[in-house]
Amino acid sequence: MKMVKLGRTGLCVPQLAFGALPIQRTDKPEAVRILRAAYDGGIRFFDTARAYSDSEEKIGAALSAVRNDIVIATKTTAVDAKTAAGHLETSLSNMKTDYIDIIQLHTPERMPDPGDENSAYAELVRAKKAGKVRFIGMTNHRAHVAREAVESGLFDTLQFPMSHISSQSDLSLVDLCVSHNVGFIAMKALCGGLVTNIPAAFTFFRRYDHVVPIWGIQHMHELEEFLELERNPPVPDDAFLSAIDRDRRELASSFCRGCGYCLPCPAGIPIPMSARMSFLLRRAPYAQFLTPEWKEMMGRIKSCVNCGSCKAKCPYNLDTPALLREMLSDYEEFARTH
């Protein structure tokens, strides 16, 4: 496998990494089977989070026997020291380990104050000194916060959305990380499932020697596809370039990345899915979105109270209410013709 060094951590991991968010939707015996198959296939980096329900427990059940052979990254949404300490102890217990390789602040709205002894960051520093944590990272969707994190010197790794439709500005974060010796972990490599040409997405990352993409895996067939791509990497031919151009044309404008910063919605609208509905209908098996349940959820858009909260909180500066209305109109037309 192609190996990547995660900046100043010195951790060398295969560029094929396991994103464990989706296995919270997989029953435990099957999740354990998938995780063990990933390890047997050569995957050594597993990324999860305290917020991913029982994902950590499944990692512990599957991989505790090979703990010293793998790198585990998890996350805490805590902003205060007490909550961070509790999250860390829960993560250690769930994954049956006495240390976390990389603990990450999970999408904070702003940079932490390193001088605040009651902050989550300060608690992670104390945990590192105590040997419970090896390295400290941050995940984020806001480019300006991500840049501040890299330049601050406070973090060993950055996790940020990256794919073949990323803007040049976002891609420049890779170079910034390299110049500051910060490891770059790429999330949403498939844009939340909207990129369906997996070979093209996989091949795109082969250009980057300093990036580790984490691929969200829920089913065994998905794992097998990635392992086969690793064994036989595609050649970046004209078809590969055409696939990238198509995705950029269709997705790179007013595209909702599904980060969830906009939630909760007072009208109960499932914004991260609803705001991408036109793409989901055409890039995924559409029948699952034409059920009575989804028709009711999309209908909630008509109850939008125009509070502006979602628009104000969007890190990509999308006009979310307008985007939702556009998606509803397209959804109703699609439902009539299918």
Side-chain angles (χ1 to χ4, degrees):
M1 287 192 173
K2 180 179 179 180
M3 304 297 289
V4 175
K5 182 180 177 182
L6 278 172
R8 59 173 171 263
T9 70
L11 296 171
C12 290
V13 297
Q15 196 170 39
L16 178 59
F18 193 108
L21 183 153
I23 61 167
Q24 65 183 318
R25 300 189 290 267
T26 305
D27 67 65
K28 190 171 182 178
E30 179 63 7
V32 167
R33 189 173 78 93
I34 292 169
L35 287 161
R36 287 177 176 166
Y39 175 80
D40 291 340
I43 293 177
R44 293 295 183 268
F45 184 33
F46 296 83
D47 179 87
T48 183
R50 184 77 291 285
Y52 299 166
S53 61
D54 64 353
S55 174
E56 291 181 335
E57 295 175 40
K58 290 166 178 173
I59 287 176
L63 301 172
S64 59
V66 294
R67 174 64 186 97
N68 293 333
D69 295 333
I70 63 176
V71 172
I72 294 176
T74 192
K75 313 177 188 79
T76 173
T77 56
V79 295
D80 64 275
K82 182 178 179 180
T83 304
H87 283 184
L88 178 57
E89 292 304 321
T90 301
S91 294
L92 291 169
S93 176
N94 285 344
M95 293 189 285
K96 301 179 180 180
T97 181
D98 56 4
Y99 69 97
I100 303 295
D101 295 289
I102 305 173
I103 185 76
Q104 303 162 98
L105 291 183
H106 199 170
T107 62
E109 293 186 9
R110 59 187 62 86
M111 279 287 294
D113 176 2
D116 181 1
E117 290 299 312
N118 294 315
S119 70
Y121 178 81
E123 183 61 30
L124 299 186
V125 172
R126 288 191 285 269
K128 183 176 181 180
K129 291 178 180 177
K132 295 181 179 181
V133 168
R134 296 179 67 191
F135 303 102
I136 300 173
M138 177 194 281
T139 77
N140 223 283
H141 292 259
R142 296 177 172 89
H144 72 279
V145 177
R147 291 182 182 279
E148 288 179 32
V150 174
E151 293 169 346
S152 70
L154 299 177
F155 298 96
D156 302 306
T157 62
L158 171 72
Q159 187 171 152
F160 189 79
M162 178 180 174
S163 69
H164 57 252
I165 69 162
S166 294
S167 68
Q168 286 303 311
S169 176
D170 284 351
L171 292 176
S172 69
L173 273 169
V174 176
D175 293 331
L176 186 67
C177 283
V178 171
S179 67
H180 286 76
N181 204 18
V182 171
F184 191 103
I185 303 167
M187 63 164 131
K188 296 192 177 295
L190 295 176
C191 299
L194 295 188
V195 169
T196 55
N197 190 324
I198 294 176
F202 181 91
T203 305
F204 167 77
F205 282 97
R206 292 317 224 211
R207 302 175 176 180
Y208 293 89
D209 295 331
H210 303 282
V211 175
V212 176
I214 50 173
W215 304 98
I217 295 171
Q218 181 177 353
H219 303 290
M220 184 65 80
H221 68 84
E222 295 169 341
L223 171 64
E224 291 171 347
E225 180 173 8
F226 283 115
L227 291 176
E228 178 58 30
L229 287 169
E230 183 65 41
R231 286 190 291 265
N232 297 290
V235 176
D237 54 15
D238 290 342
F240 158 78
L241 297 175
S242 296
I244 287 180
D245 287 341
R246 173 176 172 265
D247 285 336
R248 284 177 174 164
R249 286 196 305 272
E250 294 184 4
L251 299 174
S253 55
S254 58
F255 164 54
C256 171
R257 275 73 171 175
C259 68
Y261 275 107
C262 50
L263 297 175
C265 170
I269 302 168
I271 298 174
M273 293 291 284
S274 300
R276 300 185 294 158
M277 187 54 67
S278 290
F279 300 115
L280 291 168
L281 291 171
R282 292 164 176 82
R283 288 174 164 262
Y286 63 79
Q288 61 185 310
F289 299 112
L290 298 181
T291 62
E293 292 78 13
W294 261 110
K295 289 179 180 179
E296 185 275 327
M297 286 190 285
M298 289 298 292
R300 296 176 194 175
I301 295 173
K302 298 176 182 177
S303 301
C304 173
V305 297
N306 293 310
C307 66
S309 175
C310 55
K311 182 177 180 179
K313 292 188 289 188
C314 178
Y316 299 98
N317 299 313
L318 298 178
D319 185 346
T320 311
L323 185 60
L324 286 170
R325 291 191 294 270
E326 178 185 335
M327 292 296 122
L328 176 61
S329 176
D330 187 65
Y331 179 82
E332 291 177 335
E333 178 61 27
F334 191 94
R336 280 194 294 269
T337 57
H338 291 76

